């Protein structure tokens, strides 16, 4: 069986020990399987992505002894592909424009008539449905061109109906290994109408990750356990867009001394900092338990 995996950092800060663990794990596994290890620069957030961080990513990875097959894929080069997929979902009546700001959503969720506590999904509070086509909102006409200027949300109920009974499942090899079946009702209540196209960018993390994994022929996704909950969204999008579902490995997270997950702002754990202090790549491997 062929094996192709990837490391997909966002160039929004320095790589830290958690990134090193993820990259080394995927790289080592690709080598052990005689497979391919690819790199993807997830730079869709133009407000935060910086060329200096991208350059530092290449430098840190080379220093760690990591090489990748072919040229890295960059999400900022892939807008036409994202647009095309959005157009397809729009024409099938699965998207609707949404004008709500974060503030509007929080206000709607805390309104007394909503009653119950908001449910948090992989993208934050589950959308209360203010702009969803229904009693007060007209359904958009799928025959019109894809609108721009507003965010576009996936109409989760319509998306599940469009699956025509196709099962949503994936194989997980690490975090409680096994076959996961995703119940449709969990997607409605626990995920809801997620944003697939942002106001400032025709795409979203979920849409691009699914299209890019398919375009790069990824058979095995190896990434942190923090993304486990997002996988149900990725499997749904793969089914809607007729794309293959890779095998998933959600590895443990590297934590700081207080047990907190490392974040980009944890400069103290930046690989660059360890390098300056004279650490070797072997020291980094040891620090992350490899
Ligand atoms: N770009 C994401 C990150 O830096 C990783 C996405 C993924 O591996 O699916 O956390």
């Amino acid at each position: 069986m062929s094996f192709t995996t990837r490391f997909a950092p966002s160039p929004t800060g320095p790589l830290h020990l958690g990134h090193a663990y993820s990259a080394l794990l995927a790289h080592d596994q690709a080598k052990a399987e005689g497979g391919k290890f690819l790199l993807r620069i997830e730079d869709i957030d133009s407000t935060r992505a910086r060329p200096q961080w991208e350059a530092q990513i290449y430098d840190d990875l080379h220093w760690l002894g990591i090489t990748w097959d072919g040229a890295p894929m960059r999400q900022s080069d892939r807008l036409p592909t994202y647009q095309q997929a959005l157009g397809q979902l729009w024409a099938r009546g699965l998207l609707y424009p949404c004008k709500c700001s974060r503030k509007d959503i929080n206000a709607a969720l805390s309104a007394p008539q909503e009653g119950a506590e908001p449910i948090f999904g992989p993208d934050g509070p589950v959308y209360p449905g203010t702009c969803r086509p229904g009693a007060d909102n007209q359904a958009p006409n799928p025959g019109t061109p894809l609108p721009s200027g507003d965010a576009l949300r996936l109409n989760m109920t319509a998306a599940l109906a469009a699956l025509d009974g196709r099962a949503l499942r994936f194989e997980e090899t690490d975090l409680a290994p096994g076959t996961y079946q995703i119940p449709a009702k969990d997607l409605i209540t626990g995920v809801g109408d997620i944003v697939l196209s942002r106001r400032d960018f025709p795409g979203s993390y979920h849409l691009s990750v699914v299209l890019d994994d398919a375009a790069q022929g990824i058979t095995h996704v190896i990434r942190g356990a923090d993304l486990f909950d997002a996988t149900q969204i990725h499997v749904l999008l793969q089914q809607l867009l007729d794309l293959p579902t890779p095998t998933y490995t959600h590895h443990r997270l590297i934590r700081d001394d207080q047990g907190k997950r490392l974040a980009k702002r944890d400069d103290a754990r930046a690989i660059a900092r360890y390098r300056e202090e004279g650490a070797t790549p072997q020291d980094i491997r040891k620090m992350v338990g490899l």
Side-chain angles (χ1 to χ4, degrees):
M1 191 183 143
S2 70
F3 187 103
T4 303
T5 190
R6 45 67 163 185
F7 176 56
S10 310
T12 54
L15 293 188
H16 56 58
L17 283 183
H19 295 107
Y21 179 57
S22 211
L24 287 166
L25 207 60
H27 173 261
D28 290 1
Q29 205 163 329
K31 296 288 158 254
E33 300 280 345
K36 281 195 211 147
F37 173 80
L38 307 182
L39 185 60
R40 181 163 78 230
I41 302 296
E42 301 213 322
D43 59 351
I44 59 171
D45 189 347
S46 57
T47 58
R48 292 167 62 225
R50 296 277 177 278
Q52 105 206 48
W53 295 127
E54 186 176 330
Q56 180 83 50
I57 288 171
Y58 299 138
D59 196 50
D60 283 343
L61 292 178
H62 278 134
W63 178 78
L64 282 167
I66 291 177
T67 52
W68 48 91
D69 295 289
M73 174 179 271
R74 298 171 83 240
Q75 290 190 326
S76 52
D77 293 336
R78 295 196 21 90
L79 265 59
T81 303
Y82 306 150
Q83 282 276 8
Q84 199 192 14
L86 288 167
Q88 198 202 112
L89 295 171
W90 171 259
R92 289 160 69 191
L94 305 184
L95 303 179
Y96 63 87
C98 173
K99 292 191 185 305
C100 295
S101 64
R102 203 174 297 223
K103 216 167 120 197
D104 298 332
I105 295 172
N106 289 335
L109 288 169
S110 59
Q113 67 270 24
E114 292 292 329
E117 286 292 300
I119 295 170
F120 281 80
D123 283 356
V126 172
Y127 182 61
T130 318
C131 295
R132 185 186 301 138
D136 298 338
N137 302 310
Q138 242 194 324
N141 177 357
T144 56
L146 186 71
S148 59
D150 287 327
L152 295 172
R153 288 186 181 273
L154 181 70
N155 184 331
M156 189 56 86
T157 309
L160 292 167
L163 287 179
D164 252 341
R166 279 199 273 179
L168 296 175
R169 69 166 86 85
F170 66 98
E171 296 295 323
E172 166 67 33
T173 70
D174 194 345
L175 193 82
T179 304
Y180 281 76
Q181 304 278 353
I182 305 161
K185 70 171 180 1
D186 287 7
L187 285 164
I188 303 241
T189 55
V191 175
D193 295 355
I194 44 160
V195 169
L196 288 194
S197 179
R198 301 182 341 189
R199 196 168 310 165
D200 58 337
F201 180 86
S204 71
Y205 161 65
H206 300 303
L207 183 76
S208 37
V209 82
V210 157
L211 291 167
D212 297 346
D213 281 339
Q216 289 190 299
I218 302 302
T219 59
H220 291 75
V221 170
I222 300 172
R223 61 185 180 189
D226 52 329
L227 288 168
F228 182 82
D229 285 345
T231 305
Q232 53 189 326
I233 301 174
H234 301 167
V235 174
L236 169 67
L237 293 175
Q238 285 150 4
Q239 286 293 334
L240 286 175
L241 296 166
D242 266 325
L243 303 172
T245 292
T247 298
Y248 286 88
T249 300
H250 290 96
H251 59 70
R252 68 183 166 84
L253 299 177
I254 304 294
R255 297 180 183 276
D256 67 13
D257 302 337
Q258 279 84 48
K260 263 200 17 244
R261 207 177 103 193
L262 299 181
K264 284 265 162 62
R265 61 189 171 279
D266 281 317
D267 285 8
R269 312 285 157 159
I271 306 302
R273 180 66 69 85
Y274 287 108
R275 289 174 64 180
E276 270 162 35
E277 288 170 0
T280 66
Q282 272 315 317
D283 295 332
I284 303 287
R285 279 186 176 268
K286 256 196 233 130
M287 277 182 236
V288 297
L290 282 172

